[in-house]
Amino acid sequence: YVLLSVLVMAGGCTTSDTTRRGAWGQEALGYFETWAGAYTANDTYGVLDFYTPDATVEDRTSDFRDATPAILTVLRGNTAQLTRQILDVHVGADQALVLVAWPDYTVEYGAVLANLAGGYINSETILLDAASLQNSLRSDPATVARYETVFGDLAAGWTSGDPEQLAPLYARDAVIHDALSGVEVTGQAAILELAAGHRQAWAIAGIPAERNGGLVQDAALFLDPVEYGADPQRAVGIFEVTGDDDCTFRMAVHWRFAEDVIVEERRYPEVESFRRCDSSSLVDGGWTGLDPPGPRDQVETGVIATPAGNSISVRNGSPRLEGLVKWGLNQYAAAGLSEPRMDTVTFEPTRQCEGVAGRVITAGTARDLVLCIDESDPCPGPGNCTEMALGARVGMLHELAHAWMLDELDDATRGRVLELSGRERWIDDGAPWKDRGVEYAAQVMAWGHGLGSGR
């Protein structure tokens, strides 16, 4: 058995410069077990640790339906339990197709296609199993039956290697990808030649009930509507593939259809079963050597040069968010005030945002300004980013004011502010926000720094 058996090239060979630590694929299993654990614990920030700040989720069966929202939007809009039970992990070089169960209410099963970049998930597509779609009336039974027929025909065709069985299933320009090694077979003729020359036994697999045991009786077929309620046009099927050496591994196959034939197919081996079948020539994917990520708010995404010539590290930033920081610092410079001192600016997602809109955190000599907005917040509305939203500008200037006051105000000045504002205490966590002197002063400074100029 060799890796290219994923493409049923039983006589082929592949080389691999591996740097495996322990058992092949174990890092991928650990990564997604921790990912699922964060969902199950309803730990929003623990979940966000696994995603890039601009990561998106495509889920045509959810409340968002025809949208492709940011992961933070999905989590904010989800008031239900987030429990995900890992059933299987199938891997590609920079993708994983993870089978999960959502057991909180009526148990449903899904296939989560995660695209990774630099150790983080940057996009995710969720497919739901055909039986759940049919039972919840989210897919027409006739449509489900048609894909079940294709599922069975593919198993029979690849088992027999008979071109007459397989030809009606593939477009003339269809492409099959081995998602792990990157090997491709292009064109219907080449696909049929491959099937005829390297025969294997394909059986339709059931959905694993749990990592250590039995199977759900329903076939492992998952559908992914391109539009809510429409013919899916995309599907995932799970097969048990047995080669000449009688070793059987599980393989996920992701199809894209057009006019009822397959135009693209990607194959992903399941980690544990494939490792048993091929111990000598396993290609390492991009996840190999990858540990579950740490907190996102420790990841630097950029560095800003300030008007005073200082450098500020930005976490979870973007060009637009960096522009907001620069704008705020320029407002201070234009007012002739000293520059607020900080070492880092951190945007969502960060655990420091729980229950607050922003804060300034000091640890020894280090100072971090936290502003609880993400990439979408500076825009006043869809497609309107010619000037920054008022709320984002006020929030930026308010937190800069906190940083500025830490260095520039003495006790006498603070006392004078309390006297003029009719407030009793500068800092009092037990008092309402509006009654705290420090918050009153920061808000006055924010409104006094030229909020009419937000370009």
Side-chain angles (χ1 to χ4, degrees):
Y1 241 179
V2 294
L3 175 68
L4 295 186
S5 58
V6 181
L7 285 179
V8 290
M9 294 180 180
C13 184
T14 184
T15 59
S16 173
D17 293 326
T18 61
T19 55
R20 291 190 294 274
R21 298 183 309 172
W24 180 88
Q26 195 60 42
E27 295 93 339
L29 297 181
Y31 184 97
F32 287 102
E33 290 284 4
T34 307
W35 166 83
Y39 272 101
T40 300
N42 285 297
D43 179 3
T44 297
Y45 291 108
V47 170
L48 291 171
D49 287 343
F50 284 84
Y51 295 84
T52 61
D54 58 350
T56 57
V57 177
E58 187 177 3
D59 181 4
R60 300 304 184 204
T61 64
S62 75
D63 293 338
F64 296 99
R65 295 186 177 179
D66 293 326
T68 306
I71 179 64
L72 184 58
T73 301
V74 172
L75 293 174
R76 284 173 172 170
N78 193 326
T79 58
Q81 293 292 308
L82 298 174
T83 303
R84 291 184 177 186
Q85 177 187 353
I86 293 286
L87 305 178
D88 261 349
V89 177
H90 299 251
V91 292
D94 54 5
Q95 292 179 312
L97 207 156
V98 186
L99 304 191
V100 300
W102 292 284
D104 284 322
Y105 301 105
T106 301
V107 178
E108 292 186 328
Y109 301 92
V112 180
L113 179 60
N115 295 294
L116 279 74
Y120 298 94
I121 299 169
N122 62 10
S123 66
E124 191 173 87
T125 301
I126 296 176
L127 301 85
L128 199 63
D129 80 285
S132 295
L133 283 169
Q134 183 170 317
N135 293 340
S136 60
L137 304 180
R138 283 177 282 185
S139 189
D140 175 42
T143 300
V144 172
R146 187 168 78 253
Y147 283 91
E148 288 175 339
T149 298
V150 171
F151 196 20
D153 289 347
L154 278 159
W158 281 100
T159 298
S160 69
D162 183 357
E164 291 188 4
Q165 284 187 280
L166 282 176
L169 302 175
Y170 289 93
R172 289 191 177 277
D173 58 352
V175 180
I176 296 181
H177 307 264
D178 179 333
L180 185 57
S181 71
V183 172
E184 295 183 354
V185 177
T186 303
Q188 184 194 73
I191 291 171
L192 299 180
E193 181 181 356
L194 174 67
H198 301 285
R199 193 169 301 170
Q200 293 178 322
W202 284 35
I204 293 175
I207 298 173
E210 54 187 34
R211 291 301 306 280
N212 62 355
L215 295 175
V216 175
Q217 293 304 306
D218 294 320
L221 174 64
F222 306 86
L223 304 181
D224 170 27
V226 175
E227 297 177 359
Y228 180 76
D231 185 333
Q233 299 178 32
R234 295 179 293 196
V236 166
I238 311 298
F239 296 93
E240 293 184 346
V241 180
T242 304
D244 294 336
D245 60 359
D246 294 327
C247 189
T248 299
F249 69 95
R250 291 169 67 85
M251 181 174 71
V253 181
H254 184 211
W255 299 291
R256 183 168 62 85
F257 293 84
E259 299 179 354
D260 291 331
V261 293
I262 297 166
V263 294
E264 184 178 17
E265 177 175 304
R266 289 184 179 272
R267 299 180 178 182
Y268 301 82
E270 189 272 327
V271 169
E272 293 179 329
S273 61
F274 195 60
R275 182 172 59 211
R276 290 194 301 270
C277 287
D278 187 347
S279 61
S280 61
S281 57
L282 297 166
V283 171
D284 289 324
W287 37 262
T288 300
L290 183 67
D291 293 321
R296 281 291 316 164
D297 55 17
Q298 296 177 10
V299 179
E300 180 181 274
T301 55
V303 177
I304 291 174
T306 74
N310 299 310
S311 295
I312 297 174
S313 170
V314 179
R315 298 166 177 168
N316 296 336
S318 69
R320 185 179 298 154
L321 292 172
E322 289 180 10
L324 177 62
V325 179
K326 294 174 183 177
W327 172 83
L329 293 172
N330 284 332
Q331 297 301 100
Y332 273 78
L337 295 175
S338 60
E339 186 170 277
R341 184 183 70 80
M342 67 198 106
D343 300 290
T344 58
V345 176
T346 301
F347 295 98
E348 282 269 41
T350 168
R351 290 163 177 79
Q352 300 297 341
C353 279
E354 293 196 59
V356 298
R359 57 180 16 142
V360 174
I361 302 169
T362 57
T365 60
R367 184 176 295 172
D368 183 21
L369 185 152
V370 177
L371 188 58
C372 301
I373 65 175
D374 63 19
E375 169 68 7
S376 64
D377 291 316
C379 292
N384 181 8
C385 281
T386 56
E387 69 174 38
M388 295 181 188
L390 179 61
R393 286 184 279 147
V394 172
M396 186 77 258
L397 292 176
H398 181 98
E399 299 309 325
L400 287 174
H402 279 306
W404 184 86
M405 289 188 293
L406 285 173
D407 296 321
E408 300 297 332
L409 296 192
D410 56 20
D411 289 341
T413 304
R414 285 189 284 268
R416 182 62 174 155
V417 171
L418 291 174
E419 181 183 348
L420 290 172
S421 66
R423 286 162 173 78
E424 295 182 358
R425 291 183 176 85
W426 186 252
I427 297 176
D428 183 356
D429 291 341
W433 184 88
K434 66 182 181 62
D435 293 335
R436 303 172 195 172
V438 66
E439 300 298 349
Y440 166 80
Q443 201 69 347
V444 167
M445 290 190 71
W447 284 102
H449 275 303
L451 286 174
S453 175
R455 293 186 182 280

